[in-house]
């Protein structure tokens, strides 16, 4: 559709290097309930569902439903829905690249805005996601490297 290319916000990508093997990081990321430990600074009330998790954004962000749709050793893809009537669609993509005993972890958020308000707020939404997702990856790094 036309909106699939015109309405989508520019993706937000954050990256860090974690001094742990790829398979260990993949095992943590693959179970969405594990995400609470490193994303609870902006997501709360994690609940397992039949297909993934349901979480609530802090600060009035409302409920989100996140479902894993692809998992390989190098990549995990999650699709989400949020907003009024669950009309906002998102995709989260983790890429894991082994590098000299460590792993480069990138997380990309792709968002299809739910309406005019989302498109207007796109720069603020992207800045917020860059900050929160960056912090989440740094917290993941701290937690995994402390093991």
């Amino acid at each position: 559709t036309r909106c699939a290319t015109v309405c989508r916000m520019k993706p937000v990508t954050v990256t860090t290097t974690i001094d742990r093997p790829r398979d260990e990081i993949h095992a943590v990321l693959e179970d969405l309930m594990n995400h609470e430990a490193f994303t609870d600074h902006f997501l709360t009330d994690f609940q397992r569902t039949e297909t993934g998790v349901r979480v609530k954004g802090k600060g009035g962000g409302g409920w989100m439903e996140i479902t894993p749709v692809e998992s390989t050793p190098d990549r995990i893809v999650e699709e989400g829905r949020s907003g009024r009537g669950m009309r906002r669609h998102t995709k989260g993509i983790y890429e894991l690249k082994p590098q000299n005993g460590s792993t480069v972890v990138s997380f990309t958020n792709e968002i299809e805005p739910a309406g005019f308000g989302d498109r207007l707020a796109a720069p603020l939404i992207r800045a917020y996601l860059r900050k929160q997702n960056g912090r989440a990856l740094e917290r993941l790094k701290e937690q995994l490297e402390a093991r």
Side-chain angles (χ1 to χ4, degrees):
T1 66
R2 181 176 183 267
C3 196
T5 56
V6 174
C7 298
R8 184 163 278 140
M9 286 185 215
K10 292 179 188 173
V12 175
T13 301
V14 294
T15 302
T16 193
T17 301
I18 301 176
D19 190 22
R20 305 302 295 171
R22 179 190 65 191
D23 293 344
E24 181 180 333
I25 297 168
H26 185 275
V28 170
L29 292 175
E30 190 171 44
D31 183 347
L32 292 174
M33 289 301 289
N34 290 335
H35 293 220
E36 185 173 17
F38 60 92
T39 63
D40 63 355
H41 61 285
F42 75 111
L43 299 174
T44 63
D45 300 327
F46 275 67
Q47 302 169 9
R48 191 177 298 278
T49 66
E50 287 183 28
T51 58
V53 295
R54 180 178 160 107
V55 301
K56 195 169 191 179
K58 284 188 176 178
W63 286 100
M64 294 174 263
E65 295 175 359
I66 305 169
T67 304
V69 294
E70 176 187 331
S71 181
T72 67
D74 295 322
R75 180 176 154 105
I76 297 171
V77 179
E78 307 159 350
E79 290 184 350
R81 298 179 311 145
S82 63
R84 178 182 284 153
M86 296 291 175
R87 290 184 0 211
R88 182 180 306 117
H89 294 272
T90 62
K91 185 180 282 188
I93 304 163
Y94 288 96
E95 294 183 297
L96 310 172
K97 296 185 175 143
Q99 182 179 7
N100 302 324
S102 295
T103 306
V104 177
V105 180
S106 294
F107 179 70
T108 300
N109 246 157
E110 297 177 356
I111 302 166
E112 187 174 314
F116 181 71
D118 278 0
R119 288 191 298 275
L120 212 58
L124 296 174
I125 293 169
R126 290 181 76 244
Y128 176 79
L129 288 174
R130 183 175 290 109
K131 179 179 180 181
Q132 301 306 332
N133 290 335
R135 184 169 179 209
L137 278 192
E138 288 307 310
R139 292 182 70 208
L140 176 66
K141 173 185 173 104
E142 290 169 8
Q143 292 169 14
L144 289 176
E145 289 182 352
R147 286 184 175 187

